[in-house]
Amino acid sequence: MIIRKVKSVVRICLEQWRNALLVPRVYMGYFVGVLMILLLCRRYLAYAGENGIQIFEPFIVAMASMEYSPIIMLGLILIMLDAPFISARTPYFVTRSDRKSWYMGTMMYLFTQVVIYYFLIFIATVAIGFNHAYILNSWSITCYNLAVFQPTDALVNWGLYFLASEIVDVLRPLNVFIITFVLQSLYSALLLVLAYVINMRFRGSVGNIVAILLHLSGVALYKSFNEQLMMTFSLYTKSQILMYPVIEGSLVGLFDNILIFLILIVVILAVGRYNLKQLDYNIVKSGRDI
């Protein structure tokens, strides 16, 4: 019984992936994310000049950027605009399995889309910087100087900001990459799950609007440089590794905020499961998705 249900969930997830790969809007979202990270990556490579860079550094610096990171997240929201993914085939899958399996399958698609999105933009940085990058797990001279000294020309001429002297002193690039990837994925998943569940209740794009406003308000608080406001009310701030102080070789508050992300996601998922009873799968928007 359990194996059958798992197969049903996976089948629904794969069906959603097949549908998504036929929608131009999905590729537009990928394009936004890849374009934004490559713009900063090219600046970083130009600033490094003849110096080699560590393979994870462009992704890390881009995700810490106040200018590029928020737009990269919007590319993912663009991909998921059609949540909760109701189509003409949804009643068929609900009939063949059940509402819970359909819900779990579409959520599996959402989570895998988040992971693949960030992995794709990481691969894009590797591709463009391959000739200048090395895989040794140590910071390059370029990144170390940028993190410790924050040269004026890096900010003024290249728009590079990565004030992370304590982080580069105690953590290796791989560790920072993993932490950054996890924080960005959890933050993105939280916003997208919220949009999904709100759209279940109100239909239309209400959830997407709420997610975008929550994202942009968090970015605005992050740029306000008011530390108390940022850490209290901005989920975006909690996804930024530069905001975590280093004490005795560890990032203070990191585990607590990861736990907060997970708890919020689980709570919203539970609300969505409750809303399944009131969701009409037969209401399908007319017209072709773009």
Side-chain angles (χ1 to χ4, degrees):
M1 183 67 177
I2 295 178
I3 295 177
R4 182 179 177 182
K5 185 174 289 290
V6 170
K7 288 182 178 179
S8 177
V9 169
V10 173
R11 184 170 62 250
I12 293 170
C13 175
L14 293 177
E15 174 70 16
Q16 187 57 46
W17 267 107
R18 282 192 290 268
N19 293 337
L21 294 177
L22 297 175
V23 179
R25 171 179 42 77
V26 172
Y27 295 98
M28 290 170 59
Y30 290 144
F31 177 76
V32 170
V34 171
L35 176 63
M36 287 298 103
I37 203 163
L38 289 186
L39 287 175
L40 186 135
C41 186
R42 288 179 65 87
R43 290 187 177 189
Y44 185 68
L45 289 172
Y47 176 70
E50 298 297 324
N51 297 322
I53 61 170
Q54 210 280 336
I55 197 169
F56 296 121
E57 288 175 358
F59 180 87
I60 294 169
V61 174
M63 291 296 102
S65 168
M66 288 188 292
E67 284 70 37
Y68 291 87
S69 176
I71 302 177
I72 291 172
M73 172 59 201
L74 290 178
L76 188 51
I77 292 178
L78 177 61
I79 293 173
M80 309 297 282
L81 278 180
D82 58 338
F85 317 118
I86 296 177
S87 68
R89 288 177 59 81
T90 300
Y92 166 78
F93 283 108
V94 173
T95 303
R96 288 290 302 271
S97 54
D98 53 60
R99 291 176 176 242
K100 188 188 299 183
S101 296
W102 175 84
Y103 181 60
M104 294 174 63
T106 53
M107 279 298 177
M108 178 183 290
Y109 161 73
L110 185 151
F111 291 128
T112 54
Q113 184 71 266
V114 170
V115 173
I116 289 176
Y117 177 79
Y118 283 113
F119 184 73
L120 177 65
I121 62 177
F122 164 65
I123 293 299
T125 66
V126 174
I128 196 173
F130 184 78
N131 292 333
H132 301 82
Y134 59 86
I135 61 174
L136 184 65
N137 195 21
S138 62
W139 298 103
S140 67
I141 294 297
T142 299
C143 192
Y144 185 84
N145 289 337
L146 183 64
V148 175
F149 304 110
Q150 190 57 57
T152 302
D153 65 318
L155 182 60
V156 175
N157 298 332
W158 304 102
L160 298 174
Y161 179 84
F162 187 62
L163 191 57
S165 57
E166 294 180 334
I167 290 176
V168 299
D169 280 338
V170 300
L171 295 177
R172 298 286 187 176
L174 177 59
N175 303 102
V176 177
F177 169 78
I178 293 173
I179 293 171
T180 300
F181 195 98
V182 169
L183 288 174
Q184 290 294 324
S185 297
L186 287 175
Y187 170 69
S188 301
L190 174 59
L191 290 186
L192 295 174
V193 169
L194 178 64
Y196 180 114
V197 171
I198 293 177
N199 285 344
M200 286 176 65
R201 181 65 178 84
F202 296 102
R203 309 294 296 182
S205 300
V206 177
N208 301 324
I209 295 172
V210 171
I212 292 172
L213 291 177
L214 187 61
H215 174 58
L216 295 180
S217 62
V219 174
L221 286 173
Y222 183 68
K223 292 185 177 182
S224 71
F225 296 105
N226 185 317
E227 185 173 348
Q228 184 175 358
L229 283 176
M230 285 190 292
M231 294 307 295
T232 304
F233 299 106
S234 174
L235 291 172
Y236 174 79
T237 300
K238 298 180 187 299
S239 72
Q240 295 299 301
I241 193 171
L242 296 184
M243 292 307 302
Y244 292 91
V246 178
I247 297 180
E248 297 182 355
S250 61
L251 299 178
V252 177
L254 175 64
F255 177 79
D256 293 340
N257 284 325
I258 288 177
L259 190 60
I260 288 173
F261 279 130
L262 291 173
I263 291 174
L264 289 175
I265 290 172
V266 170
V267 170
I268 298 172
L269 286 173
V271 173
R273 183 175 176 181
Y274 174 79
N275 288 341
L276 282 175
K277 301 176 183 178
Q278 303 172 347
L279 184 61
D280 185 357
Y281 298 95
N282 296 304
I283 301 178
V284 181
K285 297 179 181 179
S286 61
R288 184 179 179 182
D289 199 356
I290 60 172

